[in-house]
Amino acid sequence: MYQFKKILIIQTAFIGDVILATALIEKLYHYFPDAEIDFLLRKGNEGLLKDHPQIHKILIWDKKTKKTANLFRLTRQVRSSKYDLVVNLQRFFSCGILAGFSGAGRVVGFRKNPLSFLFTKTYDHKIGDGTHEVERNLSLVSDFTDREVSRPMLHLSDEVLEAVIKYQKDPYITLAPTSVWYTKQFPREKWIEFIQNTAFEGKIYLLGGPVDQSACEEIRIAAEKDIVENLCGKLGLLESAALMKGAHMNYVNDSAPQHLASAVNAPTCAIFCSTIPAFGFGPLSDHHVIVEIEKELSCRPCGLHGHKSCPEGHFKCAMDIETKTLESAL
């Protein structure tokens, strides 16, 4: 019988990866409700777990300023905390240092990590067989919990919910048109075409961070519809999730907003361009629709994370998707 009093989860990748890791928080809290559960993430993602009722402490790794020095500072901090269990979701060397030298009673992680020989037990991480990333993450704790797959979950405070009430007076849909990777983005002209032709008569909110403001503003102006409002940079991550939760539909790329929607069980239309759902990062909401090109392309998928431009120069995986397919999700 396992008894863990202090647990650390390590996930220092991107926003979407942290969101998917919240399923692990829920699972561990269910089985070890008296344990202190800490979470180590990269600076900039801590807002996702703000006021999370099941998180005891958030550890932040600043990767942009003195990355290596901060890594070893955190390693010392982790080691001094004397964790009973460390769950490392990262498959890279740096987080292998954090986990492998944690001094924890038990360290679990993926076999792909270069320092996995320092872990207590390792597990496979297979991409492309249809297994979802949430399922892969939960497999790390299956020996002392269960094998049931649970949805990621973000906890929305009353303050967060109240912050978006003013946008919810009329029926609405949301669009999150951007992505860090160009080949994961449904093209700008396609978003404009969808907005111009949709029969939906409520509000259309464009979501994203401050860096997405100009791209979404171009879409708003070109669409020439008064019902479109650009909210990029006006809402935090949790507030965006709260708005998505009440939407008639949320249109997203294979990117972080898709996982935000999953974590609040919001209706989702996920558009896959260069990537494919079989990689294991698809939507998990009860009501979801996946849109992708209907014909096979020999060049698709062209990579796990997408590219800054189409390697073939034609971007057919996105350009050949008909916008009427998005309309059918309403």
Side-chain angles (χ1 to χ4, degrees):
M1 184 71 177
Y2 291 95
Q3 293 295 330
F4 301 123
K5 295 182 178 180
K6 296 191 70 174
I7 300 171
L8 175 66
I9 300 169
I10 300 174
Q11 177 49 281
T12 66
F14 297 105
I15 291 171
D17 300 292
V18 174
I19 296 170
L20 294 179
T22 60
L24 193 59
I25 300 172
E26 300 296 322
K27 181 75 71 175
L28 289 170
Y29 180 76
H30 176 76
Y31 275 87
F32 309 101
D34 297 324
E36 292 180 354
I37 302 176
D38 295 348
F39 201 109
L40 194 158
L41 42 65
R42 72 191 300 166
K43 186 176 181 180
N45 291 346
E46 59 270 22
L48 284 166
L49 302 182
K50 180 184 177 184
D51 300 324
H52 194 295
Q54 296 162 9
I55 293 296
H56 171 254
K57 183 189 299 182
I58 299 174
L59 284 68
I60 301 173
W61 181 14
D62 187 347
K63 289 188 174 184
K64 293 184 177 180
T65 306
K66 298 180 179 180
K67 177 180 178 179
T68 302
N70 285 329
L71 171 62
F72 287 107
R73 176 188 59 80
L74 274 173
T75 302
R76 291 191 296 270
Q77 181 181 348
V78 167
R79 190 171 182 84
S80 65
S81 296
K82 301 184 185 303
Y83 289 104
D84 300 305
L85 171 66
V86 169
V87 184
N88 179 28
L89 302 180
Q90 284 287 75
R91 304 181 301 282
F92 303 106
F93 183 83
S94 55
C95 287
I97 292 175
L98 285 164
F101 294 97
S102 65
R106 188 172 183 85
V107 179
V108 295
F110 292 113
R111 198 164 289 124
K112 289 181 179 180
N113 192 291
L115 295 180
S116 63
F117 63 91
L118 297 173
F119 301 172
T120 308
K121 189 169 182 179
T122 58
Y123 300 79
D124 286 332
H125 187 280
K126 296 180 180 179
I127 291 178
D129 63 355
T131 303
H132 200 280
E133 181 73 353
V134 167
E135 188 175 353
R136 292 191 283 258
N137 288 344
L138 290 173
S139 71
L140 299 182
V141 299
S142 60
D143 284 352
F144 37 86
T145 58
D146 58 48
R147 296 188 180 276
E148 294 295 320
V149 179
S150 53
R151 192 180 3 256
M153 184 179 296
L154 292 174
H155 293 262
L156 306 176
S157 66
D158 291 340
E159 180 183 0
V160 167
L161 293 171
E162 289 171 6
V164 300
I165 288 178
K166 60 183 177 182
Y167 302 113
Q168 298 177 308
K169 295 177 182 178
D170 299 309
Y172 63 91
I173 61 175
T174 78
L175 278 60
T178 61
S179 171
V180 173
W181 302 104
Y182 172 81
T183 59
K184 279 189 173 184
Q185 290 184 140
F186 197 50
R188 170 182 175 272
E189 55 267 42
K190 290 284 188 176
W191 287 115
I192 294 168
E193 179 185 333
F194 169 66
I195 293 171
Q196 290 176 335
N197 295 329
T198 182
F200 185 75
E201 297 180 349
K203 291 284 292 185
I204 299 177
Y205 294 121
L206 304 181
L207 297 181
V211 297
D212 306 312
Q213 202 279 335
S214 60
C216 285
E217 189 63 11
E218 289 179 6
I219 292 173
R220 185 192 69 81
I221 293 171
E224 297 182 323
K225 271 194 171 184
D226 293 337
I227 60 173
V228 183
E229 185 173 350
N230 182 5
L231 296 182
C232 290
K234 296 182 180 180
L235 302 177
L237 289 168
L238 292 180
E239 291 168 342
S240 295
L243 188 66
M244 296 174 91
K245 185 177 177 64
H248 187 72
M249 179 55 69
N250 299 283
Y251 290 89
V252 297
N253 299 301
D254 175 20
S255 56
Q258 177 196 170
H259 305 311
L260 278 177
S262 291
V264 293
N265 199 21
T268 309
C269 178
I271 306 164
F272 283 76
C273 300
S274 66
T275 54
I276 57 176
F279 284 158
F281 298 94
L284 294 171
S285 299
D286 290 339
H287 179 196
H288 71 261
V289 176
I290 292 176
V291 171
E292 55 187 332
I293 189 170
E294 294 182 357
K295 62 183 178 183
E296 289 189 12
L297 293 174
S298 60
C299 56
R300 179 178 185 261
C302 59
L304 177 61
H305 297 294
H307 298 275
K308 292 183 178 179
S309 62
C310 173
E312 300 294 324
H314 52 65
F315 203 25
K316 287 185 177 180
C317 60
M319 298 303 298
D320 287 358
I321 294 176
E322 297 186 13
T323 56
K324 65 181 182 181
T325 311
L326 278 66
E327 187 76 11
S328 65
L330 285 169

